[in-house]
Amino acid sequence: MNRETATTRQTTMHPLLWALLFTAVFSLAIYSIAFAQGSTPTDDEVNQIAKKLYCPVCENIPLDACPTEACRQWRDQIREMLSQGKTEAEIIDYFAATYGERAASDPRDKVKAYLVPIVAILLGAAGLVSALRKWRKPQAAHPAAPANEAQLPAQMDDYVARIEEELRNRD
Amino acid sequence: MTETTPSRRAVPLWAQITIWIFLVGLLIIIAMGLNRAQQGTVQPGQQIADFKLTFYDGYRIDENAEINLSDLRGKVVMINFWASWCKPCEQEAADLQRAWEKYEPSGKVIFLGVDYVDTETSALVYLKKFGITFPNGPDLATKISQYFRIRGVPETYFIDQQGVLRYVQIGPFVNLEQIEAQIDPLLK
Amino acid sequence: MIAHFGFGILLIAFFVTLYATLTSALSKREAPQRAASMVESARRAMLLTFPLITLASALLIYLLVNNHFEVQFVYQVTSRSMPTYLKVTAWWGGQAGSLLFWSWLMSAFASLATLRNWERDREFLPWVILVSCFTLAFFLGMTAFFENPFKMFYQTSDGVGAYFFQPANSMLFTPEDGRGLNPLLRHPGMVAHPPLLYLGFVSFVIPFAFAIAALITGRTDDRWIRITRRWALWAWLFLTFGLVFGGRWAYDVLGWGGYWGWDPVEIAAFMPWLTGTAFLHSVMIQEKRGMLKHWNMLLIILTYDLVIFGTFLTRSGVLSSVHAFAQSAIGPLFFGYIIVTFVASVALLLHRWGSLKAETEMKSLLSREALFLFNNLLFMSVLVVCFWGVIYPLTSELFTGSKVTVGPPFYERATGPLFAALLFLMGIAPLSAWGHSTLKTLGRALWKPAVVAVAITLALYAFYTRNAYALTGFFLVAFVVSITVYEYWRGARARQKSKHENFLAALSNLTKRDRRRYGGYLVHLSIALMAIGILGIELFQIETQGTLEINQRMSLGGYDMQYQDIARFTGPDGREVTRAVVGIYQNGQFLGNLHPRIDYYWDAQQAMTIPGQRATMKDDLYILLVNWEPASASGATFKIYVNPLVNWLWMGSLLFFAGIAIAAWPEKDRERAVVKASRQIHEAGAAK
């Protein structure tokens, strides 16, 4: 399913993107070969990925910090997959498929996760702007604002005056 | 008080209605979440919905490497949730296997082991260590455990020939008799 | 015996509270003479609750300290081996006790509010009593009937159970030892974190009570805001400190190298902070310009219900979290309470909508009030992100059947730009004038600090980091700091010239003349300092993990650590301690030893990983002992973090305290003078 959509998109890609993609895939390949042939992955490489996963046994503790036996097994699984040359994305996909979406710390359905807050914030902003416009309208009717309020004095003495006045007007 | 009496401008009706609909919707969502949290596991007496379990390598039922619960109508099904990292599960593993050896020849009872949040490597080590021969498979995407709303492992569910849940065991079985006590009445 | 007595006292307190609630509510229907005496009676009943709940709490503490394990709550949260101070703090270490603690604080604050001088605001009194007693009655009722800390164990023919009263044919049952407090809570940080958080929660109830009183009486001026200004500031201080202490506790105890994990329960405490902060800012607009009356009402209603909502989330089992209490039956009650209070408050607000019209109009998009509005929009946006982050997994599970996790990446991505914009506003808002500002006037005030901030950012670019997020963040921090310092300097210089004072005297007199403004500036400065800490640990934290043999070394971020020794022994309270000794070197120079350890609590079957820390203003070295098997010869596994700048976060919070103290310290003489003056105005107004 995923692969299908990816190929349809690729056919319309710019040659430059092709070149970029090629280098990316090529370097990834080299990277994985290096892994496959080289020593076992270090703890740091495992933790780097474990940080992005949550094990259901430790609610709300990222996998890299969770001390339970289940989580230790998960980290071993990451290590094993890394040594097989799997990439980070592949590993996270695997965990989400095997243990459910909740294994990934970042919601993978980006549209669903981000749409609601973005729309709500934009609505709030629109509401604020329209309210400001409504408030500003009456200004046209009586534009004469008090002169002393209108200007921020540039000189120090005026500044003192402003401070003193504000202080006097307090409460 | 100090201000001149303003014209009483109420909130437009459509805005009021929108606000209330939004609030009620929000409250309903939270209420549903609360309701879910308050429910325990699936209760006995309930018809269990169909699910598919794909077995680990080496396990089969009639040459099938996977099974739908609906295929098992007419048999008593025992579903055991376990994990290799779960210490209490080890207590009951041998008893479960002995029970399976007792009931398997009759062909009227099926045991299914559902492995909860476990890695395949450790699961296979565990199954080998306890010599488990009844079919076991991973709980893919934790769908099955979510359906049963399990609270932990081990938990064991007994389903009768009509697919109705009859008994839930929370925690490990202490001996073989406890398991028999649940299965034998269902076979009559 | 003592437990029965405590239960009785709790029941009496509940009925007294109920009496105060009903009497104050019904007083409105009576003739003025009788109404006044009813309100007075309600007020006295209200004042009586505090000694009653104090007594009940003292009894509970007595039971806790003296190992009365026949009491269920004592059995659940203490054990013989716990030190006495932890037995006292176990008061709020479990569901039932913490509800009692909540009630106790609520009653203390309500009593304080009731004791103030009411001469001028008689009409508010019954409604303030009503709201605070209604809240108190809810919490007390829950403590008395659903989560009672005084229930005792009895042995009946069906086994052992916890009961209010001795069932027939039963015997009191006393377990040998208690289960002990959750190990996570056995830490000095836990002494301070929950009480501060609860203090913040509870003290926001008072401004809410006044707001509702204002709505009910239809008194639509800003009197309720002026009365509760200091309350709100102190509430905000407590809440902020509750959050900061919680972060510090997590940093010291949870062993994941950070202080904030965007856990649902942390967010539940953070949400009222957001609306409370927005409220503190936007009430200033109402005071100065008579605008935003609806909005302020809505904000305080939201704050109140988010406080209850946060309490609900942690106690109902709706969310699973490291901080969550055990599941309990009180969830539906809390939920019902939220519905009732929220719907009633919003309906009341809608009812009064027309009479809350603004007195002046917005004149400029760059005026201070307009900038405050943007600030409110940003705070509400952060709230929306947080709320959605908490609710989304719930909706996802309900509608698609798939559980999801909303972890730190979501919140960081979504709130990062909002926090940046807030910092920016924090910089320019103090420079804009009330009523009217233009780009030109703002620019004239702004350019000098902006140049300083740019220069600092360039220097950081040259010598410290090339990270774009970090540079943006540091620029904003520099911007806020230079503007705030510049404002101080300008004010003091101006005074110095006109009054011929020396600079320091001018500075202090300036602050004294408008403590609210200059206290506020200090708070802004502290937020900027805290932002430095947050930027440092979020963007520059580095870590490594490795397994070492004795005398082997590992290095990170310029530090070398040498694994020197390890020992396992039993601690005084029965925990098994595995403690490593690690030597720390920098550039070959020995800096000292650190002792990361793992504490295993047999009673709770839980391990805690306590880091060894070395803190400087530049960075923290934070070492965890991850694993050590005595049987195997494979050495010990350590995880090291270097957390740059994180100490600025803790230091900044101290300045925060100073700022609030300056802004909110009671000002007796002045307040009275103001009260007198405005009473004359009020009376004059009434005479018209």
Side-chain angles (χ1 to χ4, degrees):
Chain A
M1 190 58 196
N2 259 336
R3 199 155 11 113
E4 271 173 42
T5 50
T7 41
T8 43
R9 216 182 307 133
Q10 274 168 21
T11 51
T12 58
M13 261 201 232
H14 192 273
L16 186 67
L17 284 181
W18 269 113
L20 274 178
L21 188 74
F22 178 75
T23 20
V25 168
F26 187 69
S27 47
L28 262 181
I30 289 185
Y31 185 65
S32 3
I33 289 167
F35 259 131
Q37 293 170 342
S39 57
T40 51
T42 63
D43 287 348
D44 289 344
E45 284 158 347
V46 172
N47 281 340
Q48 194 58 40
I49 295 171
K51 250 184 206 320
K52 294 170 185 162
L53 292 170
Y54 280 80
C55 155
V57 177
C58 288
E59 300 267 10
N60 298 304
I61 301 177
L63 182 59
D64 66 321
C66 184
T68 63
E69 175 64 15
C71 290
R72 200 189 54 73
Q73 289 178 3
W74 277 36
R75 287 192 292 268
D76 287 345
Q77 178 82 28
I78 296 175
R79 193 185 308 272
E80 195 184 318
M81 293 180 78
L82 274 175
S83 66
Q84 289 162 1
K86 296 273 184 2
T87 63
E88 181 180 305
E90 284 170 347
I91 295 175
I92 291 177
D93 281 346
Y94 168 82
F95 274 89
T98 316
Y99 305 111
E101 291 291 321
R102 67 170 149 168
S105 80
D106 200 10
R108 287 147 48 82
D109 191 336
K110 294 280 185 289
V111 178
K112 262 197 230 156
Y114 288 89
L115 190 66
V116 170
I118 288 175
V119 167
I121 291 172
L122 288 180
L123 277 180
L128 178 63
V129 168
S130 85
L132 281 175
R133 284 171 64 137
K134 213 161 71 188
W135 278 327
R136 274 179 47 137
K137 243 178 223 157
Q139 197 199 356
H142 39 89
N148 60 340
E149 225 183 348
Q151 252 157 18
L152 187 82
Q155 306 224 312
M156 274 300 185
D157 291 345
D158 290 344
Y159 184 74
V160 180
R162 183 173 73 111
I163 284 191
E164 291 300 321
E165 200 211 307
E166 277 181 7
L167 292 178
R168 234 174 289 123
N169 289 345
R170 210 166 73 87
D171 291 57
Chain B
M1 301 288 138
T2 48
E3 63 186 301
T4 52
T5 331
S7 58
R8 291 186 69 87
R9 189 182 45 172
V11 188
L13 191 64
W14 64 266
Q16 289 203 31
I17 292 175
T18 327
I19 292 170
W20 288 117
I21 288 180
F22 174 75
L23 281 180
V24 168
L26 205 63
L27 291 174
I28 288 176
I29 289 176
I30 297 169
M32 284 164 76
L34 181 64
N35 183 34
R36 212 185 161 84
Q38 296 276 321
Q39 282 174 333
T41 61
V42 174
Q43 290 303 304
Q46 198 175 325
Q47 184 81 34
I48 297 300
D50 197 17
F51 63 81
K52 186 164 88 178
L53 181 67
T54 308
F55 304 140
Y56 283 129
D57 280 351
Y59 290 107
R60 289 185 183 273
I61 294 182
D62 304 332
E63 300 311 309
N64 291 319
E66 59 181 41
I67 195 79
N68 289 309
L69 182 68
S70 55
D71 299 340
L72 297 173
R73 281 293 139 75
K75 291 180 181 181
V76 170
V77 183
M78 188 213 77
I79 300 169
N80 175 251
F81 289 93
W82 63 278
S84 66
W85 41 263
C86 150
K87 291 287 165 209
C89 298
E90 296 183 0
Q91 288 173 28
E92 64 171 8
D95 287 330
L96 284 172
Q97 176 60 23
R98 272 166 59 208
W100 171 241
E101 280 160 16
K102 179 182 166 198
Y103 291 110
E104 188 192 7
S106 74
K108 290 178 183 162
V109 180
I110 287 286
F111 281 18
L112 296 178
V114 180
D115 185 13
Y116 173 73
V117 185
D118 211 345
T119 59
E120 185 162 350
T121 329
S122 345
L124 293 177
V125 170
Y126 176 98
L127 290 169
K128 200 171 168 196
K129 178 176 164 197
F130 291 97
I132 307 286
T133 57
F134 59 87
N136 271 273
D139 178 14
L140 273 185
T142 63
K143 284 207 174 98
I144 306 173
S145 54
Q146 249 173 277
Y147 173 77
F148 282 93
R149 298 193 295 268
I150 69 166
R151 288 280 173 258
V153 275
E155 281 184 18
T156 310
Y157 295 77
F158 293 88
I159 299 169
D160 69 11
Q161 290 88 338
Q162 284 74 46
V164 175
L165 181 66
R166 298 297 287 274
Y167 180 74
V168 181
Q169 166 81 18
I170 308 280
F173 291 104
V174 209
N175 53 38
L176 181 60
E177 287 69 38
Q178 272 192 349
I179 305 173
E180 288 172 349
Q182 296 310 324
I183 295 179
D184 290 340
L186 297 182
L187 286 172
K188 274 167 199 159
Chain C
M1 194 52 221
I2 292 169
H4 284 133
F5 188 45
F7 180 42
I9 298 287
L10 210 53
L11 277 183
I12 295 173
F14 173 71
F15 286 113
V16 167
T17 316
L18 217 54
Y19 169 79
T21 314
L22 291 176
T23 316
S24 57
L26 294 176
S27 68
K28 188 76 179 165
R29 297 155 153 243
E30 305 291 332
Q33 200 82 45
R34 183 157 162 68
S37 66
M38 279 174 80
V39 171
E40 186 52 29
S41 166
R43 193 176 85 101
R44 289 184 183 164
M46 156 88 262
L47 288 173
L48 185 60
T49 59
F50 181 66
L52 282 174
I53 303 175
T54 308
L55 180 57
S57 307
L59 291 171
L60 183 63
I61 291 174
Y62 174 84
L63 293 170
L64 285 166
V65 171
N66 291 297
N67 302 324
H68 282 270
F69 298 123
E70 74 275 14
V71 177
Q72 187 190 27
F73 181 72
V74 177
Y75 165 78
Q76 282 168 346
V77 296
T78 61
S79 59
R80 289 185 189 281
S81 58
M82 273 165 56
T84 307
Y85 87 96
L86 280 181
K87 285 180 183 166
V88 175
T89 63
W91 180 13
W92 53 77
Q95 178 90 271
S98 76
L99 283 173
L100 181 63
F101 184 62
W102 223 104
S103 312
W104 182 68
L105 288 176
M106 181 70 235
S107 141
F109 276 63
S111 303
L112 265 178
T114 319
L115 284 173
R116 68 180 289 280
N117 180 7
W118 284 91
E119 214 181 317
R120 232 195 104 203
D121 324 288
R122 273 282 148 198
E123 73 256 48
F124 283 166
L125 182 59
W127 310 118
V128 170
I129 294 179
L130 173 68
V131 174
S132 43
C133 280
F134 185 66
T135 312
L136 182 58
F138 172 70
F139 277 91
L140 272 180
M142 208 114 63
T143 319
F145 302 114
F146 295 95
E147 288 288 341
N148 194 308
F150 295 111
K151 269 191 189 176
M152 287 196 281
F153 286 122
Y154 289 100
Q155 173 92 51
T156 64
S157 49
D158 307 332
V160 175
Y163 300 91
F164 288 119
F165 301 108
Q166 183 163 15
N169 304 322
S170 66
M171 295 249 302
L172 191 65
F173 175 78
T174 309
E176 252 320 288
D177 198 358
R179 280 208 312 233
L181 196 60
N182 180 344
L184 289 176
L185 307 185
R186 297 185 201 178
H187 181 270
M190 265 339 253
V191 177
H193 165 53
L196 281 171
L197 209 54
Y198 290 163
L199 268 174
F201 279 179
V202 169
S203 41
F204 264 120
V205 174
I206 303 299
F208 170 76
F210 276 90
I212 294 296
L215 279 178
I216 294 179
T217 55
R219 190 169 162 182
T220 56
D221 60 357
D222 59 7
R223 181 63 192 152
W224 71 274
I225 288 175
R226 289 181 190 274
I227 297 173
T228 58
R229 189 173 80 75
R230 283 173 215 284
W231 280 104
L233 277 176
W234 287 111
W236 193 55
L237 173 73
F238 290 135
L239 198 49
T240 311
F241 263 66
L243 290 168
V244 171
F245 267 85
R248 182 70 219 197
W249 164 75
Y251 191 73
D252 289 343
V253 171
L254 294 183
W256 62 47
Y259 56 92
W260 182 259
W262 292 104
D263 177 280
V265 167
E266 294 167 358
I267 294 170
F270 187 48
M271 287 195 291
W273 186 88
L274 289 169
T275 50
T277 314
F279 174 76
L280 285 178
H281 286 98
S282 83
V283 290
M284 285 188 240
I285 310 182
Q286 183 169 346
E287 284 179 57
K288 299 268 183 194
R289 313 284 303 172
M291 300 161 69
L292 296 187
K293 293 177 174 179
H294 307 113
W295 184 237
N296 290 328
M297 284 288 177
L298 195 60
L299 279 178
I300 195 69
I301 292 171
L302 268 178
T303 307
Y304 175 80
D305 271 306
L306 283 172
V307 160
I308 309 284
F309 185 66
T311 321
F312 161 75
L313 282 184
T314 36
R315 292 157 190 272
S316 63
V318 171
L319 301 171
S320 32
S321 155
V322 272
H323 308 263
F325 287 85
Q327 216 158 308
S328 118
I330 63 177
L333 290 165
F334 259 104
F335 185 63
Y337 183 77
I338 292 173
I339 293 184
V340 169
T341 54
F342 193 57
V343 167
S345 318
V346 173
L348 195 57
L349 175 61
L350 289 175
H351 174 66
R352 291 282 180 206
W353 195 267
S355 58
L356 288 170
K357 202 168 169 284
E359 289 154 25
T360 45
E361 262 98 25
M362 190 71 59
K363 295 212 180 71
S364 153
L365 279 179
L366 291 170
S367 65
R368 193 180 288 186
E369 53 266 38
L371 295 179
F372 270 32
L373 276 182
F374 287 117
N375 139 311
N376 269 243
L377 174 70
L378 290 169
F379 274 114
M380 296 318 276
S381 303
V382 178
L383 176 74
V384 163
V385 169
C386 290
F387 193 81
W388 178 246
V390 171
I391 289 296
Y392 175 55
L394 220 58
T395 55
S396 172
E397 192 184 348
L398 288 170
F399 296 119
T400 66
S402 104
K403 283 190 181 180
V404 292
T405 303
V406 178
F410 170 82
Y411 294 103
E412 282 159 10
R413 216 173 284 145
T415 60
L418 298 172
F419 283 128
L422 274 172
L423 272 180
F424 180 70
L425 274 184
M426 203 164 95
I428 62 172
L431 294 182
S432 71
W434 292 108
H436 198 84
S437 279
T438 61
L439 262 185
K440 211 168 136 196
T441 58
L442 202 56
R444 206 170 336 160
L446 217 65
W447 74 269
K448 280 185 205 158
V451 166
V452 174
V454 168
I456 292 175
T457 313
L458 285 176
L460 286 172
Y461 178 77
F463 300 111
Y464 191 70
T465 176
R466 299 274 157 107
N467 181 322
Y469 293 115
L471 287 171
T472 315
F474 285 133
F475 166 75
L476 289 168
V477 168
F479 187 60
V480 172
V481 171
S482 52
I483 281 178
T484 315
V485 171
Y486 183 55
E487 273 286 283
Y488 259 110
W489 182 82
R490 262 201 323 172
R493 274 301 295 268
R495 244 193 112 90
Q496 195 181 2
K497 273 196 183 157
S498 66
K499 304 251 159 122
H500 306 287
E501 297 166 335
N502 72 41
F503 188 75
L504 281 178
L507 205 60
S508 104
N509 286 332
L510 185 75
T511 310
K512 269 186 213 147
R513 283 304 296 275
D514 193 348
R515 297 198 322 201
R516 186 179 190 182
R517 167 188 286 172
Y518 291 100
Y521 284 171
L522 273 189
V523 171
H524 282 184
L525 265 183
S526 79
I527 299 282
L529 295 186
M530 289 160 94
I532 294 177
I534 293 169
L535 285 168
I537 188 170
E538 289 293 330
L539 296 169
F540 300 114
Q541 183 181 53
I542 48 175
E543 61 174 86
T544 188
Q545 180 176 322
T547 304
L548 300 181
E549 304 283 349
I550 297 250
N551 287 333
Q552 264 190 330
R553 284 192 176 202
M554 190 155 76
S555 60
L556 180 73
Y559 290 101
D560 283 310
M561 62 155 275
Q562 185 175 35
Y563 170 34
Q564 286 168 344
D565 194 13
I566 199 158
R568 180 167 283 179
F569 54 90
T570 305
D573 54 354
R575 69 187 137 170
E576 180 193 83
V577 180
T578 311
R579 183 166 168 273
V581 181
V582 173
I584 303 301
Y585 300 84
Q586 196 170 28
N587 303 322
Q589 204 179 354
F590 179 69
L591 295 178
N593 283 331
L594 290 183
H595 306 98
R597 61 175 212 265
I598 299 175
D599 290 359
Y600 188 81
Y601 290 88
W602 290 100
D603 48 3
Q605 299 204 359
Q606 198 174 337
M608 295 220 312
T609 318
I610 308 291
Q613 297 178 45
R614 182 179 187 278
T616 63
M617 289 314 279
K618 184 171 164 282
D619 53 24
D620 269 20
L621 180 67
Y622 184 100
I623 300 181
L624 293 169
L625 174 61
V626 176
N627 198 11
W628 178 64
E629 296 297 336
S632 78
S634 61
T637 306
F638 292 95
K639 192 169 190 177
I640 321 177
Y641 292 91
V642 173
N643 298 327
L645 303 174
V646 67
N647 267 301
W648 292 76
L649 177 56
W650 318 124
M651 297 299 161
S653 67
L654 295 180
L655 190 62
F656 186 96
F657 182 80
I660 295 284
I662 287 177
W665 204 260
E667 222 174 339
K668 278 211 177 115
D669 295 335
R670 191 183 171 84
E671 182 78 338
R672 209 171 291 144
V674 171
V675 166
K676 224 177 249 167
S678 44
R679 184 159 77 222
Q680 281 157 3
I681 294 169
H682 184 61
E683 277 160 2
K688 263 185 238 167

